[in-house]
Amino acid sequence: MSQQHEIPNAVTPPAGPLFGLDIDDLTALMLRLGQKRYRAKQIHEALYRQRVESVEQIAVFPVALRQGMTDAGFRIGQPAIAQTARSVDGTERYLMRMADGETVETVWMPDGDGGEEPDVADEPQFETPGSSYRRATICVSSQVGCAVNCQFCLTAKLGIRRNLTAGEIVGQVAAVLNRHAVAIGKNRINLVFMGMGEPFLNYAEFIKAVRLLVTGLGIPESRMTVSTSGIEPAIRAFALEPIRPRLALSLNASNDTIREGIMPITRKWNIRKLLDAVGTIPLRTREWITFEYVLLGGINDLPEHAREVLDLLAGIRSKVNLIVWNPGPGIAYTQPSAEAVARFQKLLVHGGIPTYIRRPRGRDIYAACGQLKRTIDPAPAPPLVALSEASRSAAPAL
Ligand code: SF4
């Protein structure tokens, strides 16, 4: 090892995961390692544009520096795909393992998810040679478990274990992109922060992750949507962010009484408070607020509920995504009838709100909305079908 690239013992910082460090963090790190500033830009490029998976792969670094960092215990530290399940509809659900052994789930949905695509019709569709998809959406987790306790959600049954770091949030995306050999800029990728957890209860790490995804990986913020159950102070902070995704508010009820029953967090921030906070977001051109509405049979799917929703959303540039509730073990709701879903949509559309029925994705592998639970039950999902050869060799099925 040449003296020039050795890491001086006296200034060696505690080594750890590099993924998740932004350019300022990396500059400070390189200076502490006795390196020149330009090394920070190089490693930033390697981590996020090239998506290297080991320090050894940072080809622009001299061998001695790579070796020195490896010896000092530095690692990329992306979450690893521990298990994979593939749905008949092409959706893939991954169990992502963090360095401390905690796991979350991340979902890959080829051809988008049909609901968070605001501009599908007027954008070119990419066809990647050797690839079977034109565009895809990745659903990302923000916490291990969730504290919000929505009554219709399987993830809620986990409780909250811990927040994910920015590196662990971005790392889920990088791991999935690498698995599918996605070239940002050629393939059209949408991100939805709708996996496990409430992103706005992990606000600082979530926003740091968004900045890294935009400035590092190169995914435009306009292709990202964050869904919140309604954390009012965080919505107000979000409105002031210079770089931010689109917002989806998980409304799910037309009045506070129903919402308190299915989303107890409503007692803290009621619908009026949430809509007032949403109103502070300066909407960009072609941007609107998405309101998600999980339809529960006999609870929130009646015509009077649709009319109340119309009153609530009056004056807000919005669209509504109707989500037919996905059943899960231990949750005592029923699915709405097809007639109730169609009637609800029709009433909203006639009231002037663009309203879409989200295609359920990956229902057979519990990857659909509200179904991400991790494997707290040994075999929670129905039998798997059509695990691809790639999936088989990469990891055992969930
Ligand atoms: S729906 Fe979202 S916010 Fe509510 S418990 Fe599930 S993961 Fe948490």
Side-chain angles (χ1 to χ4, degrees), residues 146-150 152-156 195-198 229 250 263 370:
C146 186
V148 177
N149 199 23
C150 301
F152 51 82
C153 174
L154 274 177
T155 303
M196 293 169 67
E198 164 54 66
S229 59
S250 200
M263 299 179 75

Side-chain angles (χ1 to χ4, degrees), residues 69-87:
M69 290 183 70
T70 304
D71 292 347
F74 287 100
R75 55 194 165 75
I76 303 298
Q78 272 181 19
I81 296 178
Q83 294 181 342
T84 301
R86 190 164 201 269
S87 165

Side-chain angles (χ1 to χ4, degrees), residues 130-274:
S131 165
S132 59
Y133 65 91
R134 296 170 301 169
R135 60 180 196 275
T137 297
I138 302 172
C139 179
V140 185
S141 292
S142 55
Q143 296 181 302
V144 183
C146 186
V148 177
N149 199 23
C150 301
Q151 298 296 296
F152 51 82
C153 174
L154 274 177
T155 303
K157 294 194 171 295
L158 281 172
I160 180 72
R161 293 180 62 86
R162 72 167 172 86
N163 283 334
L164 294 182
T165 65
E168 289 168 335
I169 296 171
V170 180
Q172 293 168 66
V173 178
V176 175
L177 294 178
N178 285 350
R179 172 181 170 81
H180 292 275
V182 171
I184 298 294
K186 284 192 188 150
N187 303 111
R188 191 181 132 148
I189 294 296
N190 296 298
L191 301 182
V192 293
F193 299 94
M194 300 184 182
M196 293 169 67
E198 164 54 66
F200 282 6
L201 289 179
N202 183 19
Y203 189 78
E205 293 298 308
F206 159 71
I207 280 293
K208 185 177 181 187
V210 166
R211 290 191 200 118
L212 284 171
L213 288 161
V214 173
T215 62
L217 271 73
I219 301 175
E221 62 201 285
S222 59
R223 298 229 183 284
M224 303 178 194
T225 303
V226 60
S227 173
T228 180
S229 59
I231 312 297
E232 190 246 14
I235 295 172
R236 289 184 182 275
F238 181 77
L240 303 174
E241 295 290 347
I243 296 179
R244 62 164 179 81
R246 296 164 182 266
L247 183 75
L249 179 68
S250 200
L251 182 63
N252 303 328
S254 57
N255 60 55
D256 285 333
T257 307
I258 297 175
R259 199 167 191 269
E260 280 179 18
I262 59 178
M263 299 179 75
I265 197 168
T266 310
R267 283 184 219 122
K268 188 152 191 184
W269 296 295
N270 64 24
I271 293 176
R272 190 66 267 153
K273 279 188 182 161
L274 296 180

